[in-house]
Amino acid sequence: SLLDRLISMGMEVHMLSVQYRMHPLIAEFPSWRFYNHKLETGIKPEDRPVMKLKDLDLGTMAIIHVGTAESSQGMSKSNPGEAECVEFLLRTLRDSRCHLAEVGVVTPYSGQVS
């Protein structure tokens, strides 16, 4: 990873000890991979309220598999099926009175943003 390369080049490392943004299940990977299991989570899963959504029960975290094909878009990739799924989820959140300013959507592909 980029972090591994920077560390191997001698970059000074400043490590977090507690994180508050990620769900604990998501935080397990960076804790294992980059922090030698030492990254703690400051918020327990039960402290994250379950949002009541119309016709959808996702709990406090959801990983959703979208079985559609991705395509190359220049040097990047895109997957219209995934984008449609995200759009549906955002509409559902908005219709359930979630403030979309508090929602983040992350993709590693610039082609997926458009």
Side-chain angles (χ1 to χ4, degrees), residues 2-56:
L2 176 61
L3 184 59
D4 289 327
R5 282 185 271 159
L6 290 171
I7 291 169
S8 71
M9 293 169 52
M11 183 176 190
E12 187 176 353
V13 178
H14 299 276
M15 304 296 271
L16 286 175
S17 56
V18 181
Q19 70 84 26
Y20 295 91
R21 301 185 92 170
M22 291 179 275
H23 188 284
L25 292 174
I26 296 172
E28 283 180 15
F29 173 75
S31 179
W32 165 76
R33 180 67 177 89
F34 302 112
Y35 291 84
N36 197 27
H37 298 285
K38 292 180 182 160
L39 180 63
E40 297 179 18
T41 297
I43 298 175
K44 299 180 288 228
E46 56 269 20
D47 293 337
R48 294 176 179 269
V50 175
M51 185 171 210
K52 302 274 190 226
L53 300 176
K54 270 170 64 178
D55 305 321
L56 201 56

Side-chain angles (χ1 to χ4, degrees), residues 70-83:
E70 57 185 32
S71 60
S72 292
Q73 192 171 14
M75 295 297 291
S76 189
K77 296 182 181 189
S78 65
N79 186 321
E82 288 179 350

